[in-house]
Amino acid sequence: MRYSIWVLLFFGTNSLFAQVIFSGKITSSNNNSVSGATIILLKNNNSSILAYAISGNDGAYRITAKELPDSVNIKVSAIGFAEVIKLLPRQSEIINFVLIEKATELPEVKVKSNPISVQGDTINYTVGSFSTSQDRVIGDIIAKLPGIEIDPNGGIKFNGKPISNYYINGLDLLENKYSIANNNIPYDLVNKVQVLDNHQPLRVLDSLKSSTIPALNIELKQKGMNRFIGTAKAGIGILPFLSDDAIAGMQFKKDFQFITAYKYTNTGIRLANELTQQVSIKDINEPESESVQEDLLSLMQLPRPVLKESRYLFNNSHLFHLSALKALKNTAQLKFNIGYINDFNKSTGSNTTTLFLPSDTIKFIENIKTGISTNKINGDFYYTLNKRDQYIKNAAKFQLNFNNEEGTIQNAGNVYQSLNNPFYQFENNFLMLTPIKKKLFSFKSSTLFNRAPQELSVSPGQFPEIFNHSFPYDEIIQKTVLNKFTTNNSLSFMTKMGNLDQEVNVGAEYIYKQLESFISKENIQMIFPLNDSFQNNLNWQNIRLYGNANTTFKINKKQISLSLPVELNHVTVNNKIDEINRNKSYLFFNPNAVFTFPLDQLFSTAITYSHRHSLGNFIQTTPGFMLTNYRTITQNDTVLPVQKLDNISVSNSFKDPLKGLFGNVSLSYSNIRSNIIYTQSYDNIFSKRTAILFPNSSKSLILSGRINKYFFRSKTNIAFSANYMWNRSLQVLQNDFVNIFTRGTTLSAKIDYDFLNFMSVQNISTLNIFSNSIESFAKNNSYFSTLQFQESLKLSFSLSKKTTLNLNSEYYYFGSKWSQSNNYYFGDVVIKRSWQKIDFELGLNNITNNKYFKMQSLSNNYETVTQTQIRQRTLVLKGYFKF
């Protein structure tokens, strides 16, 4: 009996006493499901609202009400359709509605003087209500909106979920490079920022496949439409000579959009961030993309400080990008994005590394200077047709990188290191969905080729006992070439039967990789190639056949999705040096289930379980030695790594936009089992890494949460977040098996206050506590921890209608059990003055004139104390123009 009551309360599928249920389906005159329609129960003689509902992606709705009068009016309305009103008696009934297309406008649900409004699944933020005198581009506004976060790389999240699309007046001009819009569109041209919750970007899937992923749309004002908009910036500074210049142009029409910009700076602004691809959302069963550059070799560099980049980045950067979109008459779209970055940056500092080993502690100091030169050009070309009865998208992309890195390291002696690191890639992705006989068929095809030749040279030669019979020599040179070719083609069909959605997918993928590596040494101006044990020449092929049956069962907005994917991998490895071929087949079954259910209009819960097998990279099987950096050599003469992942996660979210309240909490547990383990041995500063066949596991737990409240009367936005991470992994250090436990806690608070006309305040505080412990099976245990605290305070004062004074301060504290604590203060003063159509900005940065910044960090079994040279006090004058 108790179980039955619990089920009734939890699912809410049966009526309780005195309850009346109206349900049914909303369709158009051509029998298409109408999602997002508003269904309202009204009293017969007036407009008092008794209850309401929103139709789902399949057009279904359900209203539960009680204490109704003898008869009620039910009103159905949706954008683009005529309104329907019917008189119904007080009794449960299944009633369907057929809407007639008509140009109508859905009235918004508004609260007087409320900067946030709701329209169906769309949340509207009025930009003018959140702007201050410090804001310049729309990204400044988005970062302050309740429920929205922007991470340091520019990725946008709404209530804990990354957005899938970034639209400008409904058009996806930039794909996933939306930092271009955030950093260039003036905020005063934007009327609203809209969050499209549960957004399905493919119209053909509207009634077949629901989505829980949000998207974002920028709605421009009339003055931002149908005209060319130009902005420019000119900046000059001293100590040393500084320049910060930019010019940008854009135009937004109903059927055409473009943004272009050229920028130059040597003030510490990382322009390349503007071309960074943001978070790409992928399916649970989708394998890792081969389009990511794999750096087999690396230059030893300083870790990035937790400071703002403009405080420590010594750069000289040029950036150009052009993005354009043209909407065609048949609703298709053509668009392209081209970007070029020319950058040189340098860094100077020192690294003090403490290695915690089962029976010893090794400590060494490296003084490091590096210079990195980057030339990168990329282009993306798209054709898209997005109709209700068909979807076609083809994306052709290319990328050319020409990177050169060099630097010196001073430890026991002076070491010079140089890395030539180019990368070339082309890929094409095609997707088509079309209905055939009440089923939706999908064809997907992807092809990719990339090439990454690398050359690392180090002088004097390292590891003389391995490479030169323990005698000193002049230089060691490591060369690698990695070529990849992949093609993946699949066919699927989807069908809907009542509350049941089914999708079957079959496909084949072919992956070919070729790796060549060899080491040579130079001594007395003569080059000597080393023998076969220092070479690799491998061809790797994988033929992957896969199939997946996915079933989704829906009850109102609750749904259960079950995927049953199976894949067969046939792997062939050809070692051309020893002429040995290895063949092996792997059959994997990777089921996963997702259960999502809204508790009401405000709360939503999702439970996910996945079991996944994955093959490691064949590079992890290289039998020959490789010099991966100046003090690390690797040899992985073992079988192909195979991992088994079990993950279960629970997430809960809450949102009440009209009250400015958002919250989310999630818990995730993972267990990764692998068939190989890596051993690490140290000799002074040098390390040797090998792989051995040994079953092991790594377990992790992540708990995170965030709550955000906006107080409308006081114009105050407050957000608190907390994250806890725990991980246990087995490692081999100095031939001893040890368990390494990693724990991390992060607490953060953010306050934006903009109530007073003459002053605004922003404060961000973050506390990080990290601890690692080593539990040896044969020796004593070790424990070490660090604490980091940072606080940022920004004050803005309106001295007059055209003059603003900004005061910025930052405080950092680092504490550690093994090293001396450090704290730092930074301060900046910026005066802004408007004169005619020009905004002038005079800034004095790093008033305290700090020259170095020291921080502590933990990773596995070592602690690093990094001291980095930073920019000293500078004075910069900037002018901003619009034309």
Side-chain angles (χ1 to χ4, degrees):
M1 181 64 181
R2 291 181 179 177
Y3 179 80
S4 299
I5 293 175
W6 184 88
V7 172
L8 291 175
L9 292 176
F10 188 79
F11 289 99
T13 56
N14 293 326
S15 297
L16 296 177
F17 248 147
Q19 285 187 338
V20 177
I21 299 175
F22 297 101
S23 62
K25 190 172 182 180
I26 314 296
T27 58
S28 63
S29 57
N30 56 6
N31 205 31
N32 288 328
S33 299
V34 177
S35 61
T38 303
I39 304 94
I40 303 175
L41 287 184
L42 301 168
K43 285 187 177 181
N44 189 12
N45 297 324
N46 56 48
S47 59
S48 298
I49 296 176
L50 301 173
Y52 75 96
I54 305 295
S55 64
N57 289 329
D58 57 355
Y61 75 92
R62 179 186 177 90
I63 299 179
T64 301
K66 57 183 179 179
E67 298 180 1
L68 295 179
D70 292 339
S71 61
V72 293
N73 281 322
I74 184 168
K75 181 172 74 171
V76 181
S77 56
I79 296 177
F81 297 92
E83 186 178 274
V84 176
I85 299 178
K86 287 188 177 182
L87 181 65
L88 300 175
R90 185 185 59 191
Q91 63 183 33
S92 297
E93 186 175 350
I94 298 176
I95 179 168
N96 299 321
F97 291 89
V98 178
L99 304 184
I100 306 302
E101 292 188 0
K102 181 182 179 182
T104 59
E105 183 177 353
L106 180 67
E108 295 181 350
V109 179
K110 292 184 178 180
V111 176
K112 187 177 181 180
S113 301
N114 194 336
I116 306 175
S117 61
V118 178
Q119 183 177 350
D121 277 348
T122 300
I123 301 172
N124 300 288
Y125 298 87
T126 303
V127 168
S129 300
F130 295 93
S131 62
T132 66
S133 57
Q134 297 189 66
D135 302 319
R136 192 167 302 281
V137 291
I138 190 57
D140 298 332
I141 304 296
I142 294 174
K144 298 188 295 184
L145 299 179
I148 296 181
E149 307 167 73
I150 299 184
D151 63 35
N153 295 321
I156 298 176
K157 291 182 178 181
F158 172 71
N159 213 19
K161 297 179 181 179
I163 65 171
S164 61
N165 298 80
Y166 186 110
Y167 300 103
I168 303 172
N169 273 15
L171 298 179
D172 189 359
L173 167 65
L174 303 168
E175 288 289 321
N176 56 0
K177 296 180 181 179
Y178 47 73
S179 289
I180 292 175
N182 280 351
N183 295 341
N184 290 282
I185 297 178
Y187 81 91
D188 57 355
L189 297 181
V190 180
N191 180 36
K192 294 178 182 178
V193 174
Q194 299 176 316
V195 172
L196 314 175
D197 208 4
N198 304 319
H199 176 65
Q200 175 55 265
L202 279 60
R203 299 178 66 192
V204 71
L205 294 179
D206 250 353
S207 59
L208 280 176
K209 197 171 185 178
S210 59
S211 170
T212 60
I213 305 300
L216 190 140
N217 180 55
I218 302 299
E219 182 186 283
L220 299 175
K221 296 178 180 177
Q222 191 60 38
K223 68 176 183 179
M225 295 291 296
N226 302 317
R227 69 181 183 92
F228 178 81
I229 300 164
T231 63
K233 174 179 66 173
I236 189 170
I238 56 174
L239 297 178
F241 175 77
L242 301 173
S243 182
D244 186 16
D245 310 302
I247 183 168
M250 60 201 77
Q251 190 172 41
F252 306 102
K253 296 182 177 181
K254 184 178 180 180
D255 60 352
F256 176 74
Q257 293 183 353
F258 85 89
I259 301 178
T260 186
Y262 166 77
K263 299 183 179 184
Y264 167 78
T265 188
N266 65 348
T267 61
I269 301 172
R270 192 181 296 272
L271 299 179
N273 289 345
E274 201 157 303
L275 298 181
T276 301
Q277 295 189 4
Q278 308 305 329
V279 176
S280 178
I281 301 171
K282 66 176 187 178
D283 186 77
I284 293 176
N285 297 304
E286 188 176 346
E288 294 295 329
S289 173
E290 297 289 349
S291 64
V292 178
Q293 181 177 353
E294 292 186 64
D295 290 324
L296 305 180
L297 314 178
S298 63
L299 209 69
M300 190 62 66
Q301 301 180 32
L302 292 168
R304 285 190 179 186
V306 296
L307 284 169
K308 293 191 306 183
E309 284 187 328
S310 58
R311 297 208 184 277
Y312 68 84
L313 187 63
F314 293 85
N315 66 334
N316 197 308
S317 301
H318 299 263
L319 170 72
F320 169 79
H321 62 74
L322 170 63
S323 301
L325 179 150
K326 174 63 178 177
L328 306 179
K329 291 183 178 180
N330 63 347
T331 73
Q333 295 178 3
L334 290 173
K335 61 183 173 182
F336 66 86
N337 298 293
I338 295 176
Y340 171 71
I341 182 75
N342 172 273
D343 179 68
F344 177 79
N345 66 74
K346 59 182 181 178
S347 60
T348 303
S350 65
N351 246 3
T352 302
T353 304
T354 304
L355 295 170
F356 302 96
L357 303 174
S359 59
D360 194 12
T361 299
I362 299 177
K363 187 174 185 177
F364 56 90
I365 300 175
E366 298 168 297
N367 295 311
I368 302 175
K369 292 183 179 180
T370 57
I372 301 175
S373 177
T374 301
N375 281 280
K376 178 179 178 180
I377 182 170
N378 60 269
D380 306 340
F381 303 87
Y382 301 89
Y383 171 82
T384 306
L385 178 66
N386 192 2
K387 300 195 299 183
R388 286 195 175 275
D389 59 352
Q390 191 176 42
Y391 179 84
I392 297 175
K393 183 174 184 177
N394 191 82
K397 305 178 182 181
F398 74 88
Q399 182 178 331
L400 303 174
N401 293 5
F402 304 95
N403 291 359
N404 289 283
E405 307 173 16
E406 60 181 15
T408 59
I409 296 177
Q410 184 180 18
N411 39 48
N414 290 324
V415 177
Y416 173 78
Q417 51 180 350
S418 175
L419 176 64
N420 184 27
N421 186 18
F423 180 68
Y424 319 102
Q425 178 168 282
F426 169 80
E427 63 177 309
N428 190 82
N429 301 301
F430 176 80
L431 174 63
M432 181 179 68
L433 295 93
T434 185
I436 302 176
K437 294 184 178 180
K438 296 184 179 181
K439 291 183 175 62
L440 184 65
F441 282 82
S442 169
F443 173 70
K444 185 177 182 180
S445 178
S446 300
T447 302
L448 177 143
F449 169 78
N450 61 40
R451 177 178 173 83
Q454 291 186 289
E455 180 177 331
L456 173 66
S457 61
V458 181
S459 59
Q462 304 296 296
F463 297 96
E465 67 280 1
I466 296 177
F467 298 117
N468 201 45
H469 308 288
S470 299
F471 292 103
Y473 63 105
D474 293 339
E475 185 178 22
I476 186 167
I477 303 169
Q478 171 74 71
K479 293 184 178 182
T480 64
V481 179
L482 177 60
N483 297 318
K484 297 182 191 177
F485 171 79
T486 69
T487 179
N488 190 354
N489 302 275
S490 64
L491 182 66
S492 65
F493 70 88
M494 289 172 274
T495 185
K496 184 177 180 64
M497 296 180 294
N499 291 332
L500 195 66
D501 299 343
Q502 290 185 311
E503 179 180 1
V504 176
N505 177 44
V506 293
E509 181 179 27
Y510 174 73
I511 305 172
Y512 174 80
K513 298 182 183 180
Q514 180 187 39
L515 171 65
E516 294 183 64
S517 75
F518 55 90
I519 300 176
S520 58
K521 60 183 180 181
E522 181 177 345
N523 199 27
I524 317 176
Q525 297 183 345
M526 295 183 66
I527 296 178
F528 303 91
L530 300 185
N531 60 31
D532 291 351
S533 62
F534 301 100
Q535 299 180 24
N536 291 286
N537 192 343
L538 300 174
N539 288 345
W540 187 86
Q541 299 179 76
N542 181 16
I543 300 175
R544 188 172 75 96
L545 306 177
Y546 57 90
N548 180 25
N550 182 76
T551 301
T552 301
F553 181 70
K554 301 177 183 178
I555 303 177
N556 296 330
K557 291 190 176 182
K558 307 176 185 71
Q559 68 177 40
I560 300 176
S561 296
L562 178 64
S563 294
L564 303 174
V566 179
E567 64 177 63
L568 174 65
N569 294 269
H570 181 73
V571 177
T572 302
V573 181
N574 178 17
N575 189 334
K576 292 188 175 181
I577 293 179
D578 58 17
E579 297 183 353
I580 295 178
N581 293 334
R582 296 185 179 94
N583 296 275
K584 190 167 183 179
S585 297
Y586 303 86
L587 181 63
F588 296 147
F589 177 53
N590 302 321
N592 64 81
V594 180
F595 181 26
T596 59
F597 54 95
L599 301 179
D600 56 26
Q601 296 290 333
L602 306 179
F603 287 92
S604 179
T605 297
I607 301 174
T608 302
Y609 170 76
S610 62
H611 175 79
R612 178 169 177 76
H613 298 75
S614 63
L615 291 175
N617 198 320
F618 88 108
I619 295 169
Q620 298 168 291
T621 67
T622 51
F625 285 99
M626 291 179 59
L627 182 75
T628 55
N629 59 55
Y630 93 94
R631 57 177 171 85
T632 304
I633 58 173
T634 62
Q635 184 186 36
N636 302 318
D637 190 8
T638 185
V639 299
L640 186 67
V642 178
Q643 288 188 340
K644 299 178 183 179
L645 167 66
D646 286 286
N647 175 268
I648 184 169
S649 63
V650 181
S651 62
N652 296 273
S653 63
F654 170 88
K655 64 177 184 295
D656 191 348
L658 297 180
K659 292 184 178 179
L661 184 60
F662 302 85
N664 61 84
V665 61
S666 64
L667 175 65
S668 176
Y669 173 78
S670 298
N671 183 15
I672 302 175
R673 289 163 289 172
S674 180
N675 62 332
I676 66 170
I677 193 170
Y678 295 95
T679 69
Q680 197 89 4
S681 59
Y682 300 91
D683 179 14
N684 293 325
I685 66 172
F686 298 107
S687 64
K688 182 180 178 181
R689 181 174 177 265
T690 59
I692 60 174
L693 185 63
F694 187 85
N696 65 97
S697 66
S698 174
K699 299 179 180 180
S700 63
L701 178 73
I702 299 176
L703 175 63
S704 62
R706 186 175 190 267
I707 185 168
N708 187 188
K709 170 64 178 173
Y710 184 79
F711 297 90
F712 295 97
R713 290 187 178 181
S714 61
K715 300 181 72 173
T716 303
N717 191 19
I718 300 178
F720 297 97
S721 64
N723 295 274
Y724 173 77
M725 179 274 297
W726 174 90
N727 176 265
R728 182 203 63 81
S729 61
L730 182 67
Q731 295 190 18
V732 182
L733 302 176
Q734 303 292 74
N735 298 318
D736 185 14
F737 285 85
V738 298
N739 275 319
I740 295 184
F741 293 86
T742 302
R743 301 171 184 87
T745 301
T746 300
L747 303 174
S748 180
K750 178 180 178 181
I751 300 176
D752 281 300
Y753 175 76
D754 189 34
F755 179 67
L756 302 176
N757 292 329
F758 66 91
M759 183 182 72
S760 63
V761 180
Q762 183 187 86
N763 182 271
I764 303 175
S765 302
T766 303
L767 174 66
N768 294 298
I769 303 172
F770 300 103
S771 64
N772 287 4
S773 59
I774 300 176
E775 292 187 359
S776 171
F777 293 95
K779 302 180 178 67
N780 295 328
N781 299 334
S782 302
Y783 175 82
F784 40 102
S785 63
T786 64
L787 183 147
Q788 301 177 7
F789 176 76
Q790 58 191 80
E791 183 175 32
S792 172
L793 176 64
K794 298 180 179 180
L795 302 174
S796 179
F797 300 92
S798 296
L799 304 181
S800 68
K801 188 176 181 180
K802 295 185 177 182
T803 306
T804 304
L805 173 65
N806 296 329
L807 304 176
N808 305 326
S809 70
E810 296 170 39
Y811 171 72
Y812 298 87
Y813 172 83
F814 298 90
S816 171
K817 175 182 177 181
W818 297 90
S819 55
Q820 183 180 0
S821 61
N822 297 282
N823 56 77
Y824 296 89
Y825 296 92
F826 292 90
D828 308 318
V829 177
V830 180
I831 298 177
K832 297 181 180 180
R833 173 72 179 180
S834 297
W835 180 72
Q836 295 184 359
K837 294 185 178 181
I838 305 175
D839 292 335
F840 289 100
E841 182 180 292
L842 180 63
L844 181 63
N845 303 313
N846 192 6
I847 298 174
T848 53
N849 203 26
N850 294 305
K851 298 179 175 62
Y852 293 93
F853 182 80
K854 183 183 287 188
M855 69 175 189
Q856 290 95 346
S857 60
L858 285 178
S859 178
N860 289 330
N861 65 310
Y862 59 88
E863 180 196 50
T864 302
V865 179
T866 305
Q867 180 172 279
T868 307
Q869 180 182 347
I870 61 176
R871 289 179 173 271
Q872 301 182 36
R873 185 188 298 122
T874 59
L875 183 68
V876 181
L877 175 65
K878 299 179 183 179
Y880 296 86
F881 315 84
K882 292 181 182 179
F883 55 90

